[in-house]
Amino acid sequence: MTTPGSANSNFEQRLLRVEARQQLTELVSRYCTATDDRDYDALSRLFTADARFNSIQGAPAILAYFRKQHATMGPCYHYSHAHHFDFESDHAATGVINSHAEVSYQGQAIWMGLRYLDRYARVDGRWLIQARNNKIRYAMPLADLPKFYAGTLRYRWPGLPPKAADIPDSVDTYRASIAAREPGPAGN
């Protein structure tokens, strides 16, 4: 039996945190796979019942949103490549997931850079997505990426007017860095 503050208790706590990080990493991966495979049963098991996705509230409404979005798209490929998690307790955590998505839309290959700002809840021993806000770094046809990536109007969805991307332009540290930069080729 371990006692609080003992070496075994500390080791067990650290091991539980490592396991939780691995479970959250797998949750993020399962989200990408379920989204791309349009496996709505699997997707439904990744969210809490009261989950929020951007402004959409509740797991049934989130699934309806995905079905509607996917009805207009061809193949998709979501992949997460950098993430970190911060634990508020053994049952609550937040995460930042940097991702890319390749989407087929109206016969065009659309490339997207995303950052998910997540909140997770551990329910019945499983980590689930409780809230997910996606921030767009860029979204545009692949053919447009070399021409427009360096600009500020990096959200260029076909059929919609171009608009500013969410990040990094809205991040205070990024804006301060740009303001302090010397004019030149990098300062387009």
Side-chain angles (χ1 to χ4, degrees):
M1 180 168 176
T2 61
T3 57
S6 71
N8 284 341
S9 174
N10 185 34
F11 175 76
E12 289 172 7
Q13 188 63 26
R14 288 174 32 222
L15 181 59
L16 288 173
R17 192 53 47 94
V18 168
E19 287 177 342
R21 287 184 191 283
Q22 183 60 37
Q23 291 167 358
L24 289 170
T25 299
E26 290 178 15
L27 174 65
V28 169
S29 177
R30 290 178 194 284
Y31 169 86
C32 292
T33 302
T35 299
D36 294 341
D37 292 351
R38 297 174 183 164
D39 185 343
Y40 303 112
D41 289 335
L43 201 56
S44 72
R45 293 189 298 272
L46 304 179
F47 290 92
T48 61
D50 64 344
R52 185 179 44 76
F53 185 87
N54 294 328
S55 62
I56 303 162
Q57 186 70 44
I62 293 168
L63 292 175
Y65 165 80
F66 278 109
R67 283 187 168 99
K68 182 178 178 183
Q69 290 297 107
H70 289 156
T72 67
M73 297 177 183
C76 299
Y77 182 50
H78 290 73
Y79 47 101
S80 298
H81 46 80
H83 56 268
H84 61 269
F85 307 108
D86 295 307
F87 292 87
E88 298 171 352
S89 71
D90 291 340
H91 298 282
T94 59
V96 176
I97 314 299
N98 291 292
S99 298
H100 279 88
E102 301 165 11
V103 177
S104 173
Y105 181 75
Q106 295 180 349
Q108 297 183 70
I110 309 296
W111 252 237
M112 300 173 69
L114 305 158
R115 180 178 293 167
Y116 294 110
L117 305 176
D118 289 350
R119 173 167 291 286
Y120 309 102
R122 191 164 182 255
V123 179
D124 297 328
R126 293 180 52 237
W127 285 99
L128 302 172
I129 299 169
Q130 186 175 39
R132 172 161 271 196
N133 288 307
N134 64 326
K135 301 295 180 185
I136 304 295
R137 181 174 296 275
Y138 61 87
M140 66 184 77
L142 178 59
D144 291 346
L145 199 58
K147 183 176 180 181
F148 296 113
Y149 180 72
T152 57
L153 300 178
R154 293 186 311 276
Y155 188 89
R156 298 178 163 272
W157 199 263
L160 297 176
K163 66 179 185 177
D166 299 319
I167 57 171
D169 308 71
S170 64
V171 177
D172 290 339
T173 52
Y174 180 82
R175 288 197 321 258
S177 172
I178 296 302
R181 172 168 75 189
E182 292 291 325
N188 298 342

